Amino acid sequence: METENPVNYKYMGRSFNDLSINDDSTAFSDCNSDRSGEFPSASSQNRRLLLACANSENSDELIRQLVSDLDSCSIDEQKQAALELRLLAKNKPENRIKIAKAGAIRPLISLISSSDPYLQENGVTAILNLSLCDENKELIASSGAIKPLVRALRTGTSTAKENAACALLRLSQVEENKVAIGRSGAIPLLVNLLENGGFRGKKDASTALYSLCTVKENKIRAVEAGIMRPLVELMADFGSNMVDKSAFVMSVLVPVPEAKTALVEEGGIPVLVEIIEVGSQRQKEIAVAILLQICEDSVLFRTMVAREGGIPPLVAFSQSGTNRAKQKV
């Protein structure tokens, strides 16, 4: 597996660092939101779960029973068990380890392949919530979760797709899983979610793609899946609240030649120039970093930047930006 490390760039005889394009601490929020429905009613079963969340001894007993119910012949019992395990894992972090140790991961993974959309959604979301615990990530992946999660990303409800993207992001935080996720067919589906999903879907997809595309072969898969078009469109839409996230994803892609070409073909240069003109300070810095990468070895691309009127805003940015920013231009 080839993971690209930060490099130094040279432009017009000047050398400078990696331009802090990996300073993404606030561009991406953690993919950890379980926003599908909570309790549909104040039933005795739901009150039981609330009690269990507050009482460690009760939660141990309840978890064992719920894991057993996952193998029930009754779909209704499976649904209720998956729902309650999902919520236990969401609302009390220590339950995530208890649920995994009780043997829930494999039966929950099997539910992800269910033809019942509600059962699939709860299976996906329970796995997502369990994956928030670092100790569970390797076990989830080694238990065969990646392919079912990719299937849910293709066929699930909008919530299942969003939560599958989040779960794949969590698993991708184990470096060895990135190639397996890419080879499972996840990248084109995440690109599709980035292009066609709602705001949360776009956010979750961009975060997962940012993590996965630190591996070179996943960068190429993303470019081949047409990622540059939605990235450019989102960067051009300042009302999308996706400019920063899209730019950070683009910044990890453009080191590969295929991405540079695709960015230019999709009209990315005028969009980057506009960001340098009117974007926030951080957006301007990311845009400058991307332009430097695509222009580094291409007289043609440098000429295109000049023709788009990029020189005046770059000069202005070099004079008015922070000391760090001034070193980039």
Side-chain angles (χ1 to χ4, degrees):
M1 178 175 64
E2 182 179 349
T3 302
E4 298 197 352
N5 296 316
V7 297
N8 291 336
Y9 293 99
K10 289 186 178 181
Y11 182 60
M12 297 181 68
R14 296 181 59 187
S15 176
F16 35 102
N17 295 327
D18 190 48
L19 309 180
S20 301
I21 57 176
N22 294 317
D23 181 18
D24 63 343
S25 57
T26 56
F28 294 108
S29 58
D30 282 342
C31 236
N32 59 5
S33 51
D34 170 3
R35 298 180 187 171
S36 41
E38 288 282 340
F39 300 111
S41 65
S43 69
S44 60
Q45 287 178 314
N46 294 335
R47 286 195 296 272
R48 178 184 69 175
L49 179 57
L50 289 173
L51 177 63
C53 286
N55 188 305
S56 177
E57 183 177 349
N58 282 353
S59 70
D60 290 346
E61 180 181 349
L62 176 58
I63 286 168
R64 288 193 292 270
Q65 181 59 53
L66 292 174
V67 172
S68 176
D69 289 347
L70 290 175
D71 291 322
S72 170
C73 295
S74 166
I75 289 182
D76 288 339
E77 286 188 8
Q78 288 181 313
K79 287 180 181 178
Q80 187 65 31
L83 169 66
E84 295 194 24
L85 286 168
R86 187 196 94 196
L87 294 172
L88 280 168
K90 171 186 177 180
N91 291 312
K92 206 164 187 183
E94 55 265 38
N95 285 337
R96 295 167 191 159
I97 294 177
K98 292 180 182 180
I99 292 169
K101 287 183 176 179
I105 288 176
R106 287 188 183 275
L108 284 171
I109 289 172
S110 71
L111 297 186
I112 298 175
S113 300
S114 171
S115 59
D116 184 294
Y118 187 75
L119 196 55
Q120 181 190 56
E121 183 178 302
N122 277 318
V124 168
T125 311
I127 289 295
L128 163 61
N129 290 345
L130 292 174
S131 73
L132 301 180
C133 172
D134 289 341
E135 294 181 38
N136 290 339
K137 290 174 184 173
E138 290 189 18
L139 177 59
I140 291 170
S142 65
S143 298
I146 291 175
K147 288 184 178 180
L149 286 170
V150 171
R151 191 178 304 118
L153 196 57
R154 179 184 297 110
T155 65
T157 65
S158 59
T159 298
K161 290 178 180 179
E162 292 163 356
N163 288 344
C166 285
L168 289 169
L169 163 68
R170 289 290 171 179
L171 298 184
S172 76
Q173 292 168 345
V174 177
E175 197 69 22
E176 292 75 17
N177 291 335
K178 292 184 179 182
V179 169
I181 293 171
R183 292 177 180 176
S184 72
I187 301 293
L189 297 171
L190 288 168
V191 171
N192 182 64
L193 186 60
L194 178 69
E195 186 166 18
N196 299 308
F199 174 70
R200 185 182 171 220
K202 293 177 188 293
K203 176 182 70 70
D204 295 345
S206 68
T207 310
L209 286 162
Y210 181 81
S211 175
L212 290 167
C213 289
T214 59
V215 176
K216 185 175 181 180
E217 68 179 69
N218 287 341
K219 298 181 200 285
I220 296 172
R221 288 191 181 95
V223 174
E224 290 176 346
I227 193 173
M228 281 302 170
R229 176 174 295 177
L231 288 180
V232 170
E233 290 176 351
L234 290 168
M235 287 172 58
D237 182 2
F238 284 89
S240 70
N241 292 319
M242 287 289 298
V243 175
D244 299 57
K245 294 177 179 64
S246 301
F248 271 111
V249 176
M250 186 175 288
S251 75
V252 300
L253 294 171
V254 291
V256 299
E258 296 90 341
K260 293 181 174 71
T261 302
L263 184 155
V264 174
E265 290 177 348
E266 294 295 342
I269 286 179
V271 172
L272 291 166
V273 170
E274 182 182 13
I275 290 173
I276 298 169
E277 291 176 329
V278 301
S280 68
Q281 185 68 27
R282 181 173 64 177
Q283 290 166 358
K284 291 179 181 182
E285 291 190 14
I286 305 170
V288 169
I290 295 169
L291 281 177
L292 278 167
Q293 290 181 80
I294 66 173
C295 292
E296 184 183 20
D297 297 316
S298 174
V299 174
L300 174 61
F301 293 165
R302 291 199 291 267
T303 302
M304 293 175 69
V305 171
R307 287 177 178 172
E308 289 294 335
I311 302 304
L314 284 168
V315 172
F317 181 67
S318 70
Q319 295 172 345
S320 64
T322 62
N323 288 333
R324 186 182 70 176
K326 291 176 182 178
Q327 296 173 0
K328 300 178 183 181
V329 186

